[in-house]
Amino acid sequence: MMTEIKENHFSECIENDLRKEILFDGYFYDVTEFVQKHPGGSVIEYYTEKGEDATHAIQQFHKRSKEKVRLMMNSLKRRQPAPNEIALDAETVKKNRGLTEDFTKLYIELESKGYFEPSYLQAFIRLAEVFVWFGIGFYLVCVSQTTAFKLIGVALITLSRARASFFVHELGHYSYSGSPKIDRIVDVTVHGLIIGLSAARWRRQHNRHHAMPQRLHHDVDLDTMPLLAYNAKVAKNSKQGKGFLIKHQASLFVFDTLLVILVWTLYQDPKFIFRRKIYLEMAALAGHCAIFYQIGFWPWLFSTWGAALILFTTFAMNHTFLPVTTEPTHWVEYSLLHTADVVHTPWADWTTGYLNYQIEHHLFPTMPNFRLPFIQDRVKALAEKHNLPYIIHSYPGALSKVFENMSSVSKELSNS
């Protein structure tokens, strides 16, 4: 009898060790079986770690599919946390409770005022802009007999692909049309035809960044070795940080961008698409190849490089020079401590596709980007109330910080 009791206890311990749970709205939910089925990929496993609270991540990532999430959560086993099971000290729990209360109030207020609603005029303008620039560029490259006009055509194709990169970023967050299904279809089309990459892979990778920006071993945007090191802590050992590419990373940034986009375009994204048999993306990628076959190799290469450089530089200005963390962090603190805005002007808004409002975007990723300028004062007030910084730089200032940080990290790793 005693042997049987011990065996049952042992089995229960093993089961508990293997069980994966997430904390949501005050309850632990058993997601052991669900993690492999999660449509958003492995990001859900970040929240099965001790001390993590998935409440705001689920709330904000799934704003457009609340009913589906509710039904899914109701299908899972749940339990109340045991005393001290949250794995955070009392002071942090108190601080997080205050942040959650005020953030939730802000979210409800913004939702009630319609800030999450799309604009069909804005939607048309964003879509038309991409194809108009591309169409004019395609015509000039393929029809014009004048070198100057061909070069203008390449420049317009580059502009189109850069604008498309900002556009699909919004589509990937389902903040474009108000319908995740429509956003996915448009995303696959534009991502594949114009940019030549996988929409599904981008969503999965980018959501992992949004879940925990600047969090070591979680934020994929920090996983840039051996080409780049935005923080000395990303180097696994002293030898890894002393390579030629890292030592000269500030000078080689432009060329590193080309290497990264070529690896994505020619290897990683096609591999992702074919392994998962995403047929719509295969068709879009085939269309991309057919279009650029007409344009030619060099226009394709330079427009690919130019668009990637614009996109990567924009993202770099919002994150890379900010501190990293290894600890569980509140959703609001991730946005205010580990992301930064760039000057709020009409020129910067257009140039960055509204990604100069990075703090606001990280707090509310499913809010249409054109609405972000209208909520900045409320976000500043939230930051001030909780003694958190609201970081904003001029465009030249942010750009300067990116390269100063890369040079500083190179020196730190060289001397380590």
Side-chain angles (χ1 to χ4, degrees):
M1 184 71 171
M2 185 62 69
T3 302
E4 184 178 342
I5 292 174
K6 287 181 178 179
E7 286 179 351
N8 289 338
H9 177 68
F10 180 69
S11 298
E12 185 178 338
C13 288
I14 293 176
E15 184 179 343
N16 289 338
D17 287 340
L18 296 176
R19 186 171 59 196
K20 294 181 178 181
E21 295 178 312
I22 58 172
L23 181 62
F24 173 70
D25 205 17
Y27 290 90
F28 276 114
Y29 287 81
D30 189 337
V31 294
T32 308
E33 302 295 329
F34 180 71
V35 289
Q36 299 300 324
K37 305 172 187 175
H38 182 232
S42 61
V43 65
I44 189 175
E45 299 207 50
Y46 288 178
Y47 296 100
T48 63
E49 300 170 8
K50 286 187 177 180
E52 301 295 348
D53 189 337
T55 303
H56 294 307
I58 292 174
Q59 176 194 73
Q60 295 304 320
F61 281 140
H62 301 289
K63 166 73 175 66
R64 305 289 178 189
S65 52
K66 289 189 290 188
E67 183 59 25
K68 286 184 178 180
V69 170
R70 186 187 67 80
L71 292 173
M72 186 277 292
M73 299 301 285
N74 287 342
S75 71
L76 300 175
K77 294 180 181 177
R78 75 172 190 177
R79 65 180 181 85
Q80 290 186 324
N84 302 320
E85 196 177 6
I86 302 300
L88 297 173
D89 60 84
E91 185 178 343
T92 301
V93 170
K94 182 180 178 181
K95 176 205 64 171
N96 286 355
R97 189 176 294 121
L99 277 172
T100 293
E101 182 178 339
D102 288 334
F103 175 72
T104 302
K105 286 180 182 177
L106 176 58
Y107 170 57
I108 292 172
E109 177 192 353
L110 296 176
E111 190 175 35
S112 67
K113 291 181 180 296
Y115 282 100
F116 289 89
E117 295 303 313
S119 161
Y120 295 114
L121 176 60
Q122 283 282 337
F124 173 77
I125 291 172
R126 295 292 297 277
L127 184 62
E129 182 188 21
V130 170
F131 285 98
V132 167
W133 292 131
F134 193 88
I136 296 172
F138 183 90
Y139 176 82
L140 291 176
V141 170
C142 294
V143 176
S144 175
Q145 302 299 315
T146 306
T147 301
F149 280 115
K150 286 184 178 292
L151 291 176
I152 292 172
V154 173
L156 290 177
I157 290 171
T158 303
L159 175 61
S160 170
R161 299 182 76 187
R163 302 301 293 168
S165 297
F166 296 138
F167 180 44
V168 297
H169 168 268
E170 184 159 2
L171 289 165
H173 283 296
Y174 303 143
S175 58
Y176 173 65
S177 70
S179 166
K181 184 176 181 179
I182 292 174
D183 284 5
R184 280 195 298 270
I185 293 171
V186 179
D187 191 11
V188 168
T189 304
V190 176
H191 229 128
L193 283 178
I194 305 298
I195 303 174
L197 294 174
S198 166
R201 181 171 179 266
W202 167 261
R203 282 196 302 271
R204 290 195 176 206
Q205 294 288 91
H206 191 60
N207 283 339
R208 289 168 63 192
H209 157 72
H210 260 268
M212 298 179 181
Q214 296 295 95
R215 175 82 173 267
L216 285 174
H217 314 303
H218 292 72
D219 183 358
V220 295
D221 284 9
L222 291 172
D223 188 16
T224 53
M225 297 292 282
L227 292 177
L228 292 164
Y230 291 124
N231 190 288
K233 293 179 181 179
V234 302
K236 295 179 182 178
N237 52 62
S238 58
K239 183 180 178 181
Q240 190 182 40
K242 290 181 170 62
F244 176 82
L245 293 176
I246 298 298
K247 188 175 181 180
H248 301 281
Q249 62 178 351
S251 303
L252 295 174
F253 179 77
V254 172
F255 301 100
D256 289 340
T257 300
L258 176 61
L259 290 176
V260 170
I261 197 62
L262 287 180
V263 170
W264 286 6
T265 303
L266 301 177
Y267 175 67
Q268 290 184 337
D269 281 57
K271 178 183 176 183
F272 180 92
I273 291 170
F274 283 96
R275 272 193 171 182
R276 287 162 177 76
K277 299 179 180 179
I278 311 175
Y279 296 112
L280 185 57
E281 293 207 2
M282 290 182 193
L285 210 58
H288 174 84
C289 294
I291 291 169
F292 279 92
Y293 178 80
Q294 298 297 319
I295 293 174
F297 173 76
W298 291 111
W300 171 82
L301 181 66
F302 283 111
S303 63
T304 298
W305 189 2
L309 185 59
I310 292 170
L311 180 66
F312 292 173
T313 302
T314 300
F315 281 135
M317 290 192 296
N318 294 317
H319 299 289
T320 57
F321 50 83
L322 293 168
V324 297
T325 182
T326 58
E327 300 298 324
T329 304
H330 194 278
W331 180 264
V332 173
E333 290 178 311
Y334 273 126
S335 298
L336 289 165
L337 296 176
H338 300 289
T339 67
D341 277 17
V342 179
V343 63
H344 302 151
T345 65
W347 179 85
D349 293 358
W350 182 84
T351 303
T352 64
Y354 292 103
L355 292 181
N356 52 327
Y357 298 89
Q358 196 69 194
I359 294 171
E360 291 79 5
H361 173 60
H362 269 264
L363 286 172
F364 306 107
T366 60
M367 181 178 290
N369 287 358
F370 78 94
R371 296 197 188 276
L372 297 176
F374 303 108
I375 71 167
Q376 57 178 296
D377 289 341
R378 292 176 173 88
V379 173
K380 286 179 181 177
L382 176 66
E384 185 177 356
K385 180 177 180 179
H386 291 273
N387 297 314
L388 292 168
Y390 183 94
I391 306 168
I392 181 169
H393 299 286
S394 67
Y395 197 98
L399 199 58
S400 176
K401 280 189 170 292
V402 170
F403 288 95
E404 286 174 3
N405 176 65
M406 285 193 286
S407 296
S408 176
V409 171
S410 295
K411 291 177 182 177
E412 184 178 350
L413 289 172
S414 293
N415 296 329
S416 63

